[in-house]
């Protein structure tokens, strides 16, 4: 789809988000997005009129809370093309979802000498759980690298996978490079080798249409807070046969059928993975966020983000001494522009930009091995949402253009 950005739409889109204003350019959307009024209202409404502990009570309010919570599960299932809402497990975030798979699947089904294959562009959340699972089971952790354009080629993937590979874990959209990986192809290759494919959808689910059935991934993890919903609610999608054979991850209330002195019989999926009181308000907020995304439409979201990325990249590329990590093509970046400026530490970039009310991220973006792969220690990152504007990009570009001068460099 070609990108379309119409300045005339800015005010209407932004008016849905109470926190957005003309003073501050919020360009850290890969870290978390802002919340529209309808999401805030839905959470408020849940606590004003529906709140009780779901799944426990037999009285009307608890039944209403349960219906709200389970309704949200169905909305999530439909949104990502899962066959059944039982395949949706509510967690706190992507990190917890990935840990659930690493603890419950990897530690129980991997053996010494098995291989786990991940990519060099993984967020630490899709790296450290596998490092730990490998240590615990004697499995071997292997990496597939991307090239300097941020692309993982089919050849590189086929060279890295073996018949010993039992788990492939990969992000669909890199939080540093913006690259979208060909998850559908890689999942098919993983299956040919008898491996399962765990997809980190933290950055893809908010920005591009994702259908887990079409991608044929075995697991998909994502966070509500990166897609306009409250913090503290996340999702793990899993294939039924896998979820059914996995043991629970957290033991306690809400996840049992019956308990005797020395043993317990666990609930069916998804509840066996949702020990303890759940985040029903968060789930209701996530449902409202999904409705909001569906109302705006991925056509609009993608078109604006694509156009804004093109504008931002064209302008940033013209700034002397500024280098963008990864692909030189805007269409590969999906709103994520990570850069370095010769002679200026990324933390200084972020502090100076903050003094001009331009919010960007600086550091390793929880991807230290990827930083080393690109021979950098730390970088600055602007990450866009469809609610950003060309004016905000101009403020970013203007600020970074002046940086070296302000720091005493002569050219
Ligand atoms: N995976 C990817 C690809 C991510 O970008 C992030 C968070 C996570 C997993 C973890 O998500 P969480 O909700 O469990 O924290 N990424 C970022 C980021 O780029 N800046 O701050 C958080």
């Amino acid at each position: 789809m070609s990108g379309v950005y119409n300045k005339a739409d800015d005010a209407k889109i932004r008016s849905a988000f109470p926190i957005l204003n003309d003073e501050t350019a919020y360009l850290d959307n890969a870290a978390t997005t802002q919340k529209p009024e309808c999401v805030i209202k839905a959470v408020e409404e849940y606590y004003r009129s529906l709140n009780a502990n779901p799944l426990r009570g037999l009285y009307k309010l608890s039944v209403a809370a349960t219906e709200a919570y389970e309704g949200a599960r169905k909305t999530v299932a439909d949104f990502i093309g899962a066959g059944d809402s039982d395949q949706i497990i509510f967690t706190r975030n992507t990190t917890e979802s990935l840990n659930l798979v690493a603890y419950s699947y990897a530690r129980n089904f991997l053996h010494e000498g098995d291989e786990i294959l991940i990519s060099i562009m993984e967020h630490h959340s899709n790296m450290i759980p596998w490092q730990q699972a490998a240590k615990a089971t004697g499995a071997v952790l292997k990496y597939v690298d991307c090239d300097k354009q941020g692309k993982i080629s089919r050849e590189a993937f086929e060279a890295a996978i073996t018949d010993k590979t039992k788990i492939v874990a990969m992000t669909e959209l890199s939080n540093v490079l913006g690259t979208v990986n060909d998850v559908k192809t890689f999942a098919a290759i993983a299956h040919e080798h008898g491996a399962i494919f765990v997809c980190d959808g933290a950055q893809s689910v908010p920005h591009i249409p994702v259908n887990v059935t079409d991608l044929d991934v075995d697991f998909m993890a994502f966070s509500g807070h990166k897609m306009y919903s409250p913090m503290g609610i996340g999702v793990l999608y899993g294939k039924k046969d896998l979820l059914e054979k996995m043991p629970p991850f957290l033991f306690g209330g809400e996840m049992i059928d019956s308990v005797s002195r020395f043993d317990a019989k666990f609930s069916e999926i998804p509840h066996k993975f949702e020990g303890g009181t759940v985040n029903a308000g968060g789930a209701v907020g996530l449902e409202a966020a999904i409705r909001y995304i569906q109302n705006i439409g991925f056509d609009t979201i993608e078109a604006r983000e694509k156009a804004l990325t093109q504008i931002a990249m064209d302008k940033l590329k013209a700034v002397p001494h500024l280098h963008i990590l990864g692909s030189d093509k805007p269409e590969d970046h999906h709103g994520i522009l990570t850069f370095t400026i010769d002679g200026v530490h990324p933390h200084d970039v972020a502090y100076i930009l903050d003094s001009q009310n331009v919010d960007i991220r600086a550091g390793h973006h929880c991807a230290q091995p990827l930083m080393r792969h690109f021979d950098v220690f730390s970088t600055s990152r602007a990450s866009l949402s469809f609610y950003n504007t060309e004016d905000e990009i101009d403020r970013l570009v203007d600020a970074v253009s002046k940086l070296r001068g302000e720091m005493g460099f002569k050219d």
Side-chain angles (χ1 to χ4, degrees), residues 30-31 93-95 123 125 175 200 202-203 223 225-226 361 381:
N93 47 38
T94 306
T95 304
H123 186 279
S125 295
N175 67 317
D200 176 349
Q203 298 293 347
S223 298
H225 72 93
K226 293 186 197 290
R361 188 77 153 198
R381 181 189 69 189

Side-chain angles (χ1 to χ4, degrees), residues 88-125:
I88 302 299
I89 295 154
F90 283 124
T91 61
R92 282 188 305 140
N93 47 38
T94 306
T95 304
E96 187 174 304
S97 298
L98 293 167
N99 271 277
L100 198 164
V101 184
Y103 271 92
S104 177
Y105 185 86
R107 287 178 193 230
N108 286 294
F109 298 108
L110 288 192
H111 301 105
E112 199 171 337
D114 286 345
E115 293 174 3
I116 304 170
L117 178 62
I118 68 173
S119 94
I120 191 66
M121 67 173 78
E122 298 314 312
H123 186 279
H124 294 163
S125 295

Side-chain angles (χ1 to χ4, degrees), residues 140-211:
V140 180
L141 181 62
K142 292 175 88 181
Y143 283 83
V144 55
D145 284 354
C146 60
D147 61 23
K148 292 292 171 204
Q149 289 285 307
K151 190 172 161 53
I152 300 172
S153 69
R154 187 188 174 116
E155 296 70 45
F157 187 75
E158 281 178 333
I161 196 165
T162 75
D163 285 340
K164 288 189 191 157
T165 309
K166 295 289 179 281
I167 297 176
V168 176
M170 191 186 283
T171 188
E172 187 170 22
L173 202 167
S174 161
N175 67 317
V176 176
L177 305 166
T179 320
V180 167
N181 290 316
D182 187 357
V183 163
K184 188 169 175 169
T185 300
F186 294 151
I189 298 170
H191 293 150
E192 280 163 23
H193 288 267
I196 62 155
F197 194 97
V198 183
C199 187
D200 176 349
Q203 298 293 347
S204 58
V205 174
H207 298 284
I208 58 176
V210 170
N211 184 305

